[in-house]
Amino acid sequence: MKNIILAITGGISAYKSAFFARLLVKNGFNVRVIMTKNAQAFITPLTLQALTGNAVHTELLDTSAELGMGHIELAKWADLVMIAPASANTLAKLSMGVADDLLTTVCLATTACVLICPAMNQQMYAHPALKLNLQTLTDLGYIVIPPESGEQACGDVGEGRLPEPEQLLDFLQNFIAKQQKSQRLSGKHVVITAGATLEAIDPVRYLSNHSTGKMGFALAKACEQLGASVTLVAGNVHLPTPFNVARIDVTSASQMLAVCQMLAGDKTNPISVFIATAAVADYRVKQQALQKIKKTTDALTLDLVKNPDILATISRENPQIFSVGFAAETQDVETYAKGKLIAKQLDMIACNDVSRTDIGFGSDDNAITVFFKGSNTKVRLEKTSKDKIAEQLADLIGKQLAKKFTFVG
Ligand code: PMT
């Protein structure tokens, strides 16, 4: 987020924009300035040109500009647009989608975030029409930086002062940091197994467990919100699919493995992160009965064979994938979890104590302890909703991934 358009509209606080432009340049931003006609009555384009090292953009229909940085190009160039100060007139136009000058046109044409810093007389700022326009702009996705209260250039005292340039920079840097954090998994394909597998005994009976898929589905939502493209491989799960998440339903462990291997082999959409929250049945019957087994005997012995370990297989066959396991244990939880971290060649493991009825299987809450490959660090995520645990875990995965690729790549 380095390319910033600083847009200046007509207002006495436009003089602060010059200081702000200087601060932006000093802090490593590439700054291009747009000035409205009224802004130029308060401060000259030449000042801003000298401070930013770039020609200032003032005209919508400027033939020379259209050849170089026309309004569409300018809109595409920007990672971020910041309007400081933003006059009541410009706010009204933006709220209506009017595009009658360069600034308003660029705001309509850009996909970048637009931050607006309203600054005006306190009476104007208090006007219901202005408040309505600000609300509309917020609803449209513009970010409003509230003005300060205090003595104004006109002598009035009240809300409407443009914050000082240092404060504007602080807000901007904070905003960018949050944006970057919120996109921690951007460009990553995350595959998550969730829920219980069902292992048929005969056409009407099966072996399974109590997993509902809540933990896995919460993680799918959290990873999607961090910018990942997410595929859920779901066992026996009766939950709605989270927004913008692809879902493949399977029944047995063998099917779950086949789907995961198919996804891992897809070179057009390689998996970056594999998270196994599924409670895979460890055994299946050796020979599934083709017809319903009759109750002809007092006792029935089932001959079971071990199911493939999906997580271990995926991580062994694809060491480039960042693999995350879950350990469900009822005793010696941490010891067993650390053992699985090594045995299954994982990058991370989250263990939960499934002997507790208030967390784990079926519950809306969970509490986990996370261990990392080659490290003694352990992170404890205290009991809270599975949604919150998922957000924290997705964030941890994003951080670990960043570290891994910083050191390795
Ligand atoms: O679905 P919920 O009701 O929300 O409950 C969540 C949960 C308790 C199921 C979840 O938090 C959890 O702990 N999932 C892992 C359950 C489990 O099978 O743990 P495990 O310790 O047996 O297996 C270790 C890891 O290997 C797990 O990541 C598991 O998905 C994976 N595994 C296990 C066996 C197998 N055949 N294939 C696997 O991939």
Side-chain angles (χ1 to χ4, degrees), residues 262-277:
M262 180 267 292
L263 292 169
D266 182 359
K267 299 280 176 279
T268 61
N269 190 17
I271 303 178
S272 319
V273 182
F274 184 73
I275 312 175
T277 69

Side-chain angles (χ1 to χ4, degrees), residues 199-206 285 287-294 300:
E199 310 298 332
I201 298 170
D202 67 14
V204 296
R205 305 180 180 94
Y206 57 78
V285 290
Q287 192 63 54
Q288 196 182 317
L290 292 176
Q291 304 300 333
K292 185 181 170 192
I293 298 169
K294 292 290 167 199
L300 176 71

Side-chain angles (χ1 to χ4, degrees), residues 240-270:
T241 310
F243 173 73
N244 203 23
V245 166
R247 172 177 182 165
I248 303 173
D249 286 316
V250 295
T251 305
S252 66
S254 306
Q255 286 173 2
M256 188 175 266
L257 175 64
V259 168
C260 292
Q261 283 180 311
M262 180 267 292
L263 292 169
D266 182 359
K267 299 280 176 279
T268 61
N269 190 17

Side-chain angles (χ1 to χ4, degrees), residues 66 132 159 166 175:
E66 290 300 317
L132 198 64
E159 246 184 320
E166 292 76 10
F175 175 80

